Amino acid sequence: AFTRDCRDSKPYPLKGYFLGIGITKLGLGILQNSTLDVLYVEATAKKYWHLGNRFYFATDLKGKMSDNNPQPYYR
């Protein structure tokens, strides 16, 4: 995981940006009978602007991508 946090305040940011990326691997994929072999890549980007006077604006973009293997779930 990698995080770059350049916000003026962590609990209530008004100016700055935040970038984060993470890679998660579930299972090793080396066993033939293994049913768990999944790779996830997640990314987050947030930006905060001071527009003037008492006005601020924030936006955020998140994404998650996984490989084509069947996804595990509980029955």
Side-chain angles (χ1 to χ4, degrees):
F2 170 78
T3 301
R4 176 81 171 150
D5 194 348
C6 295
R7 300 176 292 177
D8 59 345
S9 170
K10 307 311 183 222
Y12 193 77
L14 298 175
K15 295 185 287 185
Y17 65 93
F18 174 89
L19 300 172
I21 188 165
I23 300 174
T24 304
K25 174 75 168 140
L26 301 175
L28 295 176
I30 59 176
L31 301 175
Q32 290 180 344
N33 295 334
S34 176
T35 59
L36 184 61
D37 183 21
V38 180
L39 177 71
Y40 298 110
V41 178
E42 300 175 271
T44 302
K46 300 178 182 182
K47 178 72 174 143
Y48 305 89
W49 289 277
H50 179 221
L51 299 177
N53 210 1
R54 299 181 321 187
F55 295 98
Y56 296 88
F57 179 75
T59 188
D60 148 344
L61 179 66
K62 294 181 182 182
K64 181 176 181 180
M65 187 173 68
S66 61
D67 57 6
N68 289 332
N69 291 338
Q71 301 298 309
Y73 62 93
Y74 295 107
R75 292 183 187 196

